[in-house]
Amino acid sequence: MKRIVSVISLILVTILMLTGCSSGGETAKSSVNIAVTIPFVVEGAENEFKAMLEKGLPELNTEEEKMLVQVLSTGDTKADPMSAMAGMTKITTMFLGKEIEIMICDADNAQRHGENGSAYMPLDKLFTAEEQAELGIEALTVAVADDAGNPTGERSAAVGISLADCEGVTNIFKMSDPGLYVIDMPEAEANIENIRTAIRYILSM
């Protein structure tokens, strides 16, 4: 396990050195940054999802700025650990580079990257209780682990939104239990209205 972590760290540093300077401009031109993490690549899914967002959210897709959507495959950690490690490293790099504002993923990836839930914006910072009821939001929590990575049996505060009933997400990406999480960082707070608009539309898909 320690060897895998060391390899991930080495790859991560290398990627940051190679890409750190180039990612800023792309992010500055986007209205909302969305990352979708799925176990395996689904052909055509990224383009189909982008097309739906562009059609449904013209106010966030103008000549000046567009929604930035990236679909990342995390692979199978048992069948192909190297590919899985590369996918997880890419996600971590994007976290550090502040390239993700909204992440759509399954519970495993939410736990893996969520730092026991602290990496995600609390749900009550996104929507009031009344708004959550109006939108029919089913809140999600993240499993808490100790410093060794072992589950404690505890759960985080509500930090995610279930997309299990959003056929526009489940059908496109072949996911049965997707969740949506907003990364808790100053950039996301400054862009909160665009993020809220994007979430409202995704929930209607």
Side-chain angles (χ1 to χ4, degrees):
M1 181 66 183
K2 290 183 178 179
R3 181 178 299 177
I4 292 176
V5 172
S6 298
V7 172
I8 291 176
S9 300
L10 179 60
I11 294 174
L12 179 58
V13 171
T14 302
I15 293 175
L16 283 172
M17 292 176 64
L18 293 174
T19 65
C21 295
S22 62
S23 61
E26 186 177 18
T27 302
K29 296 178 182 178
S30 66
S31 55
V32 178
N33 297 330
I34 300 177
V36 184
T37 66
I38 53 179
F40 303 100
V41 174
V42 179
E43 186 175 355
E46 183 170 345
N47 289 337
E48 185 177 355
F49 189 59
K50 286 180 178 179
M52 291 183 70
L53 293 176
E54 289 176 1
K55 181 179 180 180
L57 291 168
E59 67 271 31
L60 298 184
N61 292 282
T62 65
E63 291 184 2
E64 291 76 24
E65 57 181 16
K66 292 185 178 295
M67 300 177 73
L68 177 61
V69 179
Q70 299 188 64
V71 178
L72 309 168
S73 171
T74 55
D76 188 324
T77 56
K78 294 182 179 179
D80 192 353
M82 291 303 294
S83 294
M85 183 172 65
M88 289 185 283
T89 300
K90 173 62 175 177
I91 296 169
T92 302
T93 302
M94 293 176 69
F95 262 77
L96 293 179
K98 299 180 180 180
E99 299 176 44
I100 303 175
E101 291 174 315
I102 295 174
M103 184 164 77
I104 296 173
C105 62
D106 59 21
D108 287 342
N109 276 302
Q111 194 277 333
R112 181 178 294 120
H113 300 286
E115 299 178 7
N116 291 334
S118 65
Y120 305 129
M121 188 175 292
L123 192 53
D124 58 12
K125 281 181 66 175
L126 278 170
F127 297 105
T128 65
E130 291 77 11
E131 288 172 326
Q132 292 179 45
E134 172 196 337
L135 293 168
I137 287 176
E138 178 185 344
L140 296 177
T141 59
V142 174
V144 174
D146 60 23
D147 292 340
N150 301 311
T152 65
E154 299 177 332
R155 308 289 301 186
S156 71
V159 292
I161 299 171
S162 173
L163 300 181
D165 293 329
C166 300
E167 294 183 357
V169 175
T170 58
N171 290 346
I172 292 175
F173 296 110
K174 312 303 180 187
M175 301 172 70
S176 60
D177 62 342
L180 182 152
Y181 304 84
V182 175
I183 311 308
D184 195 6
M185 59 182 182
E187 290 80 3
E189 290 189 15
N191 196 33
I192 196 68
E193 289 308 316
N194 280 354
I195 290 172
R196 281 163 48 91
T197 297
I199 292 173
R200 285 178 180 273
Y201 177 70
I202 291 170
L203 285 170
S204 72
M205 294 175 67

